[in-house]
Amino acid sequence: SEPSCCNRRRFRRNMLTKFESKSNRVKGLAFHHHRPWILTSLHNGVIQLWDYRMGTLLDRFDEHEGPVRGVDFHHVQPLIVSGGDDYRIKVWDYKLRRCLFTLLGHLDYIRTVCFHGDYPWLVSASDDQTIRIWNWQSRSCVSVLTGHNHYVMCASFHPKDDLIVSASLDQTVRVWDITGLRKKTVRGSPGANGGGSMLHDAGVTGSGGTSSVVSRVNADLFGGNDAIVKYVLEGHDRGVNWAAFHSSLPLIISGADDRQVKLWRMNEIKAWEVDTMRGHTNNVSCVVFHPKHELIVSNSEDRSIRVWDISKRLGVQTFRRENDRFWILAAHPDQNILAAGHDSGMIVFKLERERPAFAAQGSQLFYVKDRYLRTFDFGSTRDVPSVSLRRAGHTLGTTTSGPRSLELNTLNSSDVSLLMLWDVEGGSYELIVLNPESLQSHSESAESKRGLALSAVFLSRNRFAALDKNRQIIVKDVSNEKRKAIAPPNPSTDKLFFAGTAGRILLRSEDRVSLFEPQSRRVLAELQVQRVKYVQWNKDSSCVALISKHGITLASRELDQLCSITETVRVKSGMWDSTNRVFVYTTLNHVKYCLTNGDTGIIRTLDVPVYVTRVENTKLHCLDRECKTRTLAIDTTEAVFKLALEDKNYVEVMHMVRHAKLCGRALVSYLQEKGYPEVALHFVDDLKTRFKLALACGNIEVAMNTAYEMSDDVSWHRLGAEALRQGNYQVVEMAYQRTKNFERLSFLYLISGNTDKLRKMLKIAEMRQDVMARFHNSLFLGDVNERVRVLEDTGQFALAYLTSMTHGLTEETDRLAERLRTLGRPLPKSIGVTPVLLQPPTPIIRSENWPLLSVPKKTIYDTLDTAAVDDAGADYEPAGEGWETSLDVDTSPAHPQDDVDGVGWDEDLDLDEDLTPSDYAIQRAPQDLGPYAQSSSGSLTPTPAAGRAKVADWCNSGHAADHTAAGSFETAMHLLNRQIAAVNFEPLKSRFMNVALSSTSNVPGLALGGILHLPILRGGTDDAKADVLPVSPVGLPSVIQLLKSAYREFQRGNFVGAESAFRNIIASIPLVVAETRTASQEVSELLGICREYITAIRIKNANSKSVGTRQMELSAYFTHCTLQPIHLALALNLAMSQAFKGGNFINAASFAHRILELPDVITSKGDMRAKAMFVVKKSEEKARNEHKLQYDERNPFTVECLELVPIYKGTPSSRCSFCGSTYFPHAKGTVCVTCNLSVIGVETIGLVSQSPGKH
């Protein structure tokens, strides 16, 4: 009888299509045993090899004439066998992609072919009513099985025993015993004789030429006695189309034109019919046993596939196509995959989902296996069944399909609340609440609450939301009582997801995900994304990964899209790592990672799909399809490397470059794309790529060495162009010589004034008989005689005469005049102007190389130079005495004492915080400071040149340094007041004087004349350019050198010297001229660095003078200043020590954990890491804080620079207009204590550091 409509709908939901191809009618199918490949043989004679996992056609073979009805893979060898209507059996090598040989012997269509699993045999069934066994190594037929009296539709070997099963249109199924054939022909098998190989290959016995031939002919015509019929199964009313063995049980299945599927059982002496399954409405084409479950799968010309339960002998599922008849079925020998061929192609499918239901929280994993809720501990690897699940779900064979998914309530820390979602009854849920103690011991069952819903998710600690069949959101409590019903904003909502925080849920509808708040019934955000299947939040719920079938979208907590990636294969699962910034996910065959900036990469390959449950450093915890917990080793160094690049943590970057095993073209391309060719140079061995990278980062030396190895003219030409750009005369000359670029080489010698080599080039041109080169070189040398000879040698007598006459060469003129008269040519007339001999120009600089063009250092090296330490192998300068590096560990906590008396800690910086408004009133600049500001006459005032003076235009600039250079201090101060609200100019006085005096050069004039004051310009010296601006002595390189010095003083603990250096930098920044936007950004970064370090030093000084709770608070604030990693480690060490001594063990453990998270290159020096590990151990034992601090590390804050207390996020505050230091609002209108220049709380346009432009 036909299954109900409800059953059909259920089957359609459970049957998962993995791959589908469109082609001619598919008559044969075969799965590869190890690779994700499938063979299809078509009615048009083509054999196709598909990768069903990637969905791509790998190869095709088309040497058969007519339909190909049977194909098979060899279990081990790279072989394919095929048989078709051309009576031929072909054996192919798919690696060589060609047919190896053809076996002839059948007299009619060949229906099926099949390899033996152990022996070099293959069996074929044909319409000539015979079955043939072939030895594919000797390429001969070893036995012919006769007995059927109609077409033999199929034949196959038993997986283990010496048996063959065949089906025929004579309405019988026959089982053949081939034990005798094995003993006779297979060497080394039990009972095998010691006959010669020819006899073995022929499949006959005896000796002698004549008798062997007769025996072979008789065996070929009538069949030998090596294979005998063991059973004849009769019961079908019409022809049998297919028969197959069970892989492990003594069962046979058959399908016939009588529309019936019969199950047979056999033993050593007989075989009998067990049951008949009816339901098909047309001929049954093929029938197979399911590889994993006790199921039978059949297909038919009635356009349906049916699934039968062996134990119940009933049809449990049906799948139907509208227009295609089914002809063949294949089952993968090891996996839960089936394939079916039909009139328009084939389909690869599974009957049910294999993804296990699981959820992880903290160190525990909850998953469902074998009707039990199991708990796995990641730390101890203890795996125990916790709860017996009473709900069985729907049944497929002897296997029960478990829940579709498992949701864990992460908002409830007291109990373990779980929601199991099932597919039964159109969708249902089961709510289970467990006591954490009960998880340690097995419980037969747990009380659960059930309900019908398409989806369900936890909303808060004691609430969950369910989407019912009417697409209404029902809010319920843990007692399963309805509290509220809400209509979703989009009627097409079909799934709910956890939203990371309480009171919110994610709604999936069509091609979007909505962030919905049920309490206010508002949609907070929406994101267009492919149909989302799974959602994964990181630990702090700041980022979410939306996983679709073929893509992943990363978004923020408010659903702002961060990046989106697309995969060609299915994405199976994913989890965030412990840093909350790397999303590790699995596809069908890879473990990959994705960063929030869109960068991706491959971590490792997979043999079988797995589902990630946790990512822990170098370990990937996962579940496989058998619900077995597995731990895979992974290496996320590449992801960490990219994160370090993104964070501009160049110390870590270079440490990984030198010590980590990073390689690959993808990484090199990534570094080039991100603008770090000098880093990519470390990973490249390919000469061409290495040469390009060396040119990109301006490394002439590496490029030249590589060019020598390549010996390529194109490379030398490119090297010459780059060297010329940098002014490297020697490399340019070498490049031109290697490429024999004589024209460029001559011009190079001309502009460099190398007349000796120019004369050599002239001789070379003569040897090469290059007339134009001779003329050019003589012109460059100013050699008139040579030019005359060149013109005469080329027959240009008139030009030669004119040249010699113009330059006064009388003898040459007379000789050439006589020559012209002899030739009967008129003498040219004089040019009529005063001739001037053209001489080569005098070079500006005579040296081996020109003044080199400064190739800007990449940020990575520039930053590395400023760091206190850049590698584990570098010379490490220990912290100075001013840093407290000792940790006096005592079992009984003592109160913090003022015992930190190192060098630099007791110095009073005298920040003068009691200034009055009159102290910082704007003072007028003295009139006698600038050489161009005074109007008095005398010998010191130069006579003005004709036109407009350049200095007069400097005050039109928007940069204070240009006004200062012009001597207009007053306008410079007004400009800084408008830009950064500067009011205290005392720190700038000496710098103003320096800039003013350095912008001009005093040149002695003529006798009895005055001194000339010439402006020094940064853009050129052409007087026609009236807007050229002056050079500034305060440059970015000099300021960076000051920063390096300040870092060193800070490292040594000389905080007075360090503060002085940082304040010196801050006072210099308003007069720094940045030529580019990048340089302007570096100036801004420099200002931020100085602000953080000055605040840190002030906190450290206050810490030294404090005791008790205040001392611990200040050391905690110290660790939240943005410092270099090596300096942050010292600050954390100080805070850890003081918190531990003061009895605040929780705080001490927090600081110790932060130390351990720093790179090993920093914390491995001294015994800092060992101390931190010791503190963690001791603090976790005591786990308490003796003192309550005004400090919350989880709440972001900035340090108030006047009172040195935290200003938490959201608290009103005011900022310095220049350096950006933070203050409470009552400090508005006072001078900033950090920069000591500007007023707090004044809105300004900000500092102008970039030059108005080079003119």
Side-chain angles (χ1 to χ4, degrees), residues 1089-1106:
I1089 291 172
C1090 294
R1091 178 193 66 234
E1092 293 294 324
Y1093 271 86
I1094 290 175
T1095 303
I1097 292 171
R1098 294 183 61 241
I1099 293 174
K1100 183 64 186 70
N1101 290 334
N1103 176 273
S1104 300
K1105 302 172 185 178
S1106 303

Side-chain angles (χ1 to χ4, degrees), residues 666-687:
L667 185 60
V668 172
S669 301
Y670 173 83
L671 290 168
Q672 282 186 278
E673 179 185 347
K674 296 296 183 180
Y676 298 102
E678 75 282 2
V679 181
L681 204 57
H682 289 79
F683 303 105
V684 177
D685 294 325
D686 179 69
L687 294 178

Side-chain angles (χ1 to χ4, degrees), residues 744-788:
R744 292 174 183 260
L745 197 56
S746 295
F747 192 76
L748 177 67
Y749 293 148
L750 170 66
I751 61 177
S752 61
N754 197 332
T755 55
D756 293 338
K757 291 189 177 180
L758 260 179
R759 295 190 185 281
K760 291 183 180 179
M761 294 302 299
L762 179 60
K763 293 181 180 179
I764 292 173
E766 291 180 7
M767 296 172 59
R768 293 172 50 235
Q769 297 181 354
D770 189 340
V771 175
M772 289 304 298
R774 284 179 61 193
F775 186 81
H776 285 156
N777 283 297
S778 62
L779 188 64
F780 293 159
L781 285 167
D783 190 343
V784 181
N785 290 325
E786 180 64 24
R787 285 159 55 193
V788 172

Side-chain angles (χ1 to χ4, degrees), residues 46 131 146 167 194 202 238 271 281 298 397 464 768 797 928 977 1060 1068 1074 1192:
V46 176
I131 302 165
T146 59
R238 292 189 180 182
T281 58
S298 63
F464 69 95
R768 293 172 50 235
F797 299 109
D928 56 347
N977 182 263
S1060 176
S1068 301
D1192 183 2

Side-chain angles (χ1 to χ4, degrees), residues 953-964 971-980 1018 1027 1029-1030 1070-1073 1245-1253 1255:
D953 293 305
W954 292 355
C955 293
N956 295 330
S957 170
H959 201 294
D962 298 329
H963 290 253
T964 307
T971 58
M973 289 188 289
H974 280 292
L975 194 61
L976 289 175
N977 182 263
R978 290 195 300 270
Q979 291 178 357
I980 61 174
R1018 65 174 180 261
D1027 55 345
L1029 298 174
L1071 299 179
V1072 172
V1073 178
I1245 62 172
L1247 177 66
V1248 175
S1249 60
Q1250 187 172 353
S1251 170
H1255 300 281

Side-chain angles (χ1 to χ4, degrees), residues 359-367 373-386 613 621-623 629-631:
Q361 181 181 21
S363 62
Q364 289 186 320
L365 169 69
F366 301 91
Y367 68 100
L373 174 66
R374 303 182 68 91
T375 305
F376 175 77
D377 189 280
F378 292 114
S380 63
T381 67
R382 185 168 180 262
D383 191 348
V384 295
S386 299
T613 57
H621 300 279
C622 55
L623 287 171
T629 56
R630 300 175 61 182
T631 301

Side-chain angles (χ1 to χ4, degrees), residues 1145-1190:
F1145 299 109
I1146 297 177
N1147 295 129
S1150 174
F1151 297 135
H1153 280 299
R1154 290 176 61 186
I1155 290 175
L1156 296 176
E1157 290 172 1
L1158 291 174
D1160 293 342
V1161 67
I1162 294 170
T1163 57
S1164 60
K1165 304 303 181 182
D1167 55 353
M1168 189 181 299
R1169 179 170 289 271
K1171 291 178 183 177
M1173 295 175 66
F1174 180 82
V1175 169
V1176 169
K1177 179 181 178 182
K1178 290 295 183 181
S1179 298
E1180 288 179 350
E1181 293 175 359
K1182 301 183 180 180
R1184 68 180 185 274
N1185 280 339
E1186 295 290 345
H1187 306 276
K1188 184 176 182 182
L1189 306 182
Q1190 187 183 351

